[in-house]
Amino acid sequence: MTRSILILNGPNLNLLGTRQPEVYGPTTLADIEALCQAKAAALGIHVDFRQSNHEGVLVDTLHDARGKFSGIILNAGAYTHTSVALMDAISSIMVPVVELHLSNIHAREEFRKKSYIAPVAVGQICGFGAAGYPLAIEAIMAYIGEG
Ligand code: DQA
């Protein structure tokens, strides 16, 4: 469990590759999972990579992470900017979360500057596209002292 990380992706991220490539790049979610699995293999850790379009499923997945994962990387997509439920779930589970976004949410529309995840996350990585995922793996491993 100490070397198991959950990477959880929220709504519309299943469409990466065809979804607004000028914003999110040409990389598919399957490509990103492959990047993460390669990084995990290099570090000798286990990564569980998931995606859901449903807020309640994301909440359930965060709850289920207790006792199974030592850290979580969360790209909550648009729920970042709306979801008190995800914020409360993170506050309730005692598993450290790194907030991740492909795009720089601070350089886009005003509503994307507000994150309900940021106050309960250990830190935030945004703006590095798909490369942010392996960076986030390094960040969470450093945070939990396994880096
Ligand atoms: C995103 C940024 C969010 O504002 C947006 O709603 C997404 C993707 C990102 O990875 O850049 O769905 O989380």
Side-chain angles (χ1 to χ4, degrees), residues 63 83-93 116 120:
H63 292 180
S83 182
V84 177
L86 283 180
M87 179 177 76
D88 284 351
I90 293 165
S91 300
S92 306
I93 58 173
Y116 283 91
V120 290

Side-chain angles (χ1 to χ4, degrees), residues 11 13 19 24 75 77-78 81 101-103 105 108 112:
L13 294 168
R19 175 194 182 196
Y24 298 114
N75 184 348
H81 317 297
H101 302 283
L102 294 145
S103 63
I105 58 171
R108 298 182 63 193
R112 292 188 205 274

Side-chain angles (χ1 to χ4, degrees), residues 44-142:
I45 62 169
H46 171 79
V47 157
D48 201 337
F49 193 93
R50 300 198 209 157
Q51 188 273 334
S52 174
N53 291 320
H54 304 279
E55 188 175 16
V57 172
L58 295 168
V59 169
D60 286 342
T61 305
L62 289 168
H63 292 180
D64 289 347
R66 283 175 302 174
K68 293 186 188 145
F69 298 99
S70 50
I72 298 170
I73 295 163
L74 175 63
N75 184 348
Y79 290 137
T80 303
H81 317 297
T82 62
S83 182
V84 177
L86 283 180
M87 179 177 76
D88 284 351
I90 293 165
S91 300
S92 306
I93 58 173
M94 311 281 284
V95 183
V97 171
V98 167
E99 177 182 1
L100 175 66
H101 302 283
L102 294 145
S103 63
N104 180 354
I105 58 171
H106 305 287
R108 298 182 63 193
E109 300 96 325
E110 207 54 37
F111 69 86
R112 292 188 205 274
K113 292 180 183 165
K114 165 75 183 170
S115 168
Y116 283 91
I117 309 301
V120 290
V122 298
Q124 183 188 72
I125 294 173
C126 70
F128 295 100
Y133 281 76
L135 286 174
I137 294 174
E138 281 183 26
I140 194 73
M141 293 311 288

